Amino acid sequence: MKNIIDLRSDTVTKPSEEMRKTMYNAEVGDDVYKEDPTANKLESYAAELLGKEAALFVPSGVMGNQISLNVLTQPSDEVICEADAHILQYESGSPAALSGIQLMPIKGERGVFTPDQVEPFIRPTSAYYMARSRVIEVENTHNRAGGTIHPILNIKNLRALADKHNLVMHLDGARIWNASVATGIDVANYAYYFDSVSTCLSKGLGAPVGSVIAGSKEFITEAFRVRKAWGGGMRQLGIIAAAGLFALENNIDRLKEDHDKAKMLADFLIPNDGFKIDSSSVQTNILIFSPVNMPIDDFLLKCKGKGLLLSVGKVGTVRAVTHMDVSFEDIKRAIEIISEVIDSQL
Ligand code: TLP
């Protein structure tokens, strides 16, 4: 059988043998009664890593973001986010549907907006006929911008702005682990500036399912209630929580390898006239690029025919995401496939 190289997302990773054994042996209880020892252990370990009082396992990154936003807001509130934010582009309109809130998108650069760009969009409290600004949301790393890192100094300045206007801050840290490994800045240092943080276990960290949200005890108590209300109460959760715990204990440092693989692919794409790619967006494990002389759909189909799976990034772009289930050899082969596809066009 042909070896398929799957660079569509880091979500495609499958649990390793060791991870599966840990899942098999997990001690379990009923998590709706908060009696699952493995889930409890995962939550306290995640809270410790993120430097927050408490944490909660949730089934997905979307649920993590949406529960967080629900807890932080009231209907008619507004959440300021970057124009390409996942909560705006890929979460099915859930802020409106689930929480009755609206999003105020602000165009940033490589996923980063500055306090100067944000401040004019904060609504005056006297304007009772406007939505009420309530949250500033930051995505780090930023998916649609190409896995770009939000500089911590800018986050600190956004926090000062939020405090000035009595707003709260949410971090979509689905890939905060990648930002931390790339910069050497502790995840807790990033999380420090936020009232709520959502992080994913099932992307580069390789767990089959799950995310963790973290914040104050009060925030998590309320999040626990909302998770149940939305049908997310899980019973013997330890079976999957064990995978998440294994991921946090074993798979963070190895993300560097994924960044090196992305860099290897970028080193081929950047000097190649056949592609457009913003070299300064190459920072972690996501590459966004476009073939110059070939429609995206043709390019994706031809690559697929040769055993390389890629996905669509933001309109008109291709996305490649590196992860633990592709080797450096696979990246070499991916480069050959991409060259063959582009050369076939000449
Ligand atoms: N992103 C997925 C797709 O939805 C695009 C991917 O393949 O990258 N925040 C960010 C920044 C994300 O990239 C994602 C997933 C989520 C939240 C949602 O996580 P899940 O898929 O677990 O709900």
Side-chain angles (χ1 to χ4, degrees), residues 182-238:
T183 58
I185 297 171
D186 206 280
V187 281
N189 287 355
Y190 280 117
Y192 173 79
Y193 296 101
F194 295 89
D195 298 273
S196 58
V197 177
S198 176
T199 70
C200 287
L201 306 166
S202 66
K203 301 200 161 54
L205 298 189
V209 178
S211 284
V212 171
I213 55 177
S216 67
K217 274 194 189 133
E218 206 188 348
F219 169 82
I220 290 298
T221 302
E222 191 52 17
F224 184 60
R225 191 190 67 76
V226 176
R227 188 187 71 176
K228 186 74 176 83
W230 289 358
M234 290 155 282
R235 300 295 178 173
Q236 283 67 46
L237 174 58

Side-chain angles (χ1 to χ4, degrees), residues 8-12 58-65 84-87 89-91 137 139-144 172-175 198 200-203 209-211 286 311-312 319 321:
R8 285 173 303 167
S9 182
D10 45 10
T11 58
V12 302
V58 290
S60 70
V62 170
M63 199 191 255
N65 282 332
D84 276 320
H86 196 278
I87 56 163
Q89 301 292 343
Y90 299 127
E91 302 199 4
E137 194 258 5
E139 188 174 312
N140 196 14
T141 64
H142 195 293
N143 183 349
R144 292 242 296 189
D172 179 353
R175 297 186 180 82
S198 176
C200 287
L201 306 166
S202 66
K203 301 200 161 54
V209 178
S211 284
I286 303 180
S311 57
V312 178
R319 186 180 78 148
V321 188

Side-chain angles (χ1 to χ4, degrees), residues 9-10 141 146-147 175 178 203-204 255 258-263 282-287 320-323:
S9 182
D10 45 10
T141 64
R175 297 186 180 82
N178 295 78
K203 301 200 161 54
L255 291 172
D258 298 344
H259 302 169
D260 292 344
K261 287 174 215 157
K263 170 93 176 38
V282 181
Q283 300 177 15
T284 57
N285 70 326
I286 303 180
L287 299 181
V321 188
T322 55
H323 53 77

